[in-house]
Amino acid sequence: DAVLLETIDGVPHLEQALPVLKAGKPVFIDKPLSATLEGAKAIVAAAEKYKTPFFSSSSLRFDENVQKVVAGSIGRVTGADVFTPAEIEASHLDMAWYALHGLEMLYAVLGRGCTSVTRLDQEDTDIIIGTWEDGRMGTVRGVRKWPAGIAGTAFGEKGTTPLGPFSEATYKQLIGQIIQFFDSKVPPVSAAETLELFAFMQAADESRRNQGRPFSLASLLT
């Protein structure tokens, strides 16, 4: 009736997902959706071609504290900072292998609309700053050499509140979303948001290659 595609490596996800999408079976694809932005675009295009619903997400998006913010606990969110482990796997976008967890929290509370990304890169740490079209800013601190945990802070019109930290209960929230998706065929995370998230990661890599200069997402999403 439905498929859980749980391969940890994002590289083969397109090849593995195609038979499922062609068969019209709703599918949850474990993070990362792909190793690259182009791979993510290909999966989205196939899902649209075969009219098959899918979604992909870190469990951190459905953290209880994150979802309270999404539900309006601090009013309009004016910014957010997150920290996350950020191991790098050469076959993937730098943030896709593990820092994606923190980025999912950031997008859950800020939503779509990031226009540019700036990345400050050191051997053990990244500071990645996203600027949204309405002037809001979100940051990701990626830590590579100690147990960083996954958590953060959201800033809103009505106050400031924590995001995370990660706990085993977070997985239960994701499982609940997957079951609901398999019943409803309505993904809790849109393909458009997932693609922007991948464009954010690609822009972060481009900023690093250009000595930390801001890199626009516009050309990556066309």
Side-chain angles (χ1 to χ4, degrees):
D1 296 322
V3 174
L4 290 158
L5 202 167
E6 295 292 328
T7 312
I8 295 172
D9 187 350
V11 172
H13 278 176
L14 174 60
E15 178 184 1
Q16 294 170 338
L18 277 175
V20 182
L21 297 172
K22 288 179 180 179
K25 304 297 184 182
V27 55
F28 170 76
I29 303 175
D30 197 12
K31 60 82 194 165
L33 173 64
S34 178
T36 65
L37 172 59
E38 291 307 312
K41 286 181 176 180
I43 290 174
V44 170
E48 292 174 350
K49 177 180 179 179
Y50 298 112
K51 297 181 174 56
T52 302
F54 85 94
F55 88 97
S56 178
S57 177
S58 161
S59 61
L60 270 297
R61 178 181 286 270
F62 303 108
D63 163 76
E64 183 178 2
N65 286 332
V66 170
Q67 288 301 307
K68 286 179 181 178
V69 173
V70 172
S73 65
I74 57 173
R76 178 178 177 270
V77 177
T78 57
D81 301 329
V82 301
F83 60 88
T84 177
E87 297 175 15
I88 291 177
E89 163 57 46
S91 62
H92 288 60
L93 291 167
D94 286 355
M95 294 185 71
W97 189 248
Y98 218 85
L100 178 61
H101 284 303
L103 186 55
E104 288 271 9
M105 288 200 298
L106 198 70
Y107 260 84
V109 299
L110 288 177
R112 292 168 58 197
C114 182
T115 57
S116 70
V117 173
T118 301
R119 177 175 174 181
L120 308 177
D121 174 63
Q122 295 294 328
E123 181 180 357
D124 295 340
T125 307
D126 284 314
I127 303 293
I128 302 168
I129 305 164
T131 301
W132 265 246
E133 58 193 0
D134 56 6
R136 295 179 300 161
M137 300 180 77
T139 70
V140 180
R141 174 181 286 267
V143 183
R144 282 188 275 281
K145 289 196 175 180
W146 50 275
I150 310 171
T153 304
F155 308 95
E157 294 174 321
K158 298 179 181 179
T160 302
T161 192
L163 304 173
F166 170 77
S167 71
E168 292 299 323
T170 311
Y171 282 125
K172 295 181 181 179
Q173 300 297 326
L174 174 61
I175 294 300
Q177 292 290 329
I178 293 170
I179 292 170
Q180 184 175 328
F181 162 65
F182 285 160
D183 284 339
S184 69
K185 312 299 188 293
V186 178
V189 184
S190 71
E193 182 163 322
T194 298
L195 286 182
E196 184 175 314
L197 189 150
F198 269 78
F200 184 109
M201 295 190 288
Q202 179 71 51
D205 283 6
E206 298 296 341
S207 177
R208 175 180 58 79
R209 283 190 279 268
N210 287 277
Q211 292 74 52
R213 288 195 289 273
F215 194 90
S216 171
L217 272 68
S219 62
L220 300 174
L221 289 169
T222 55

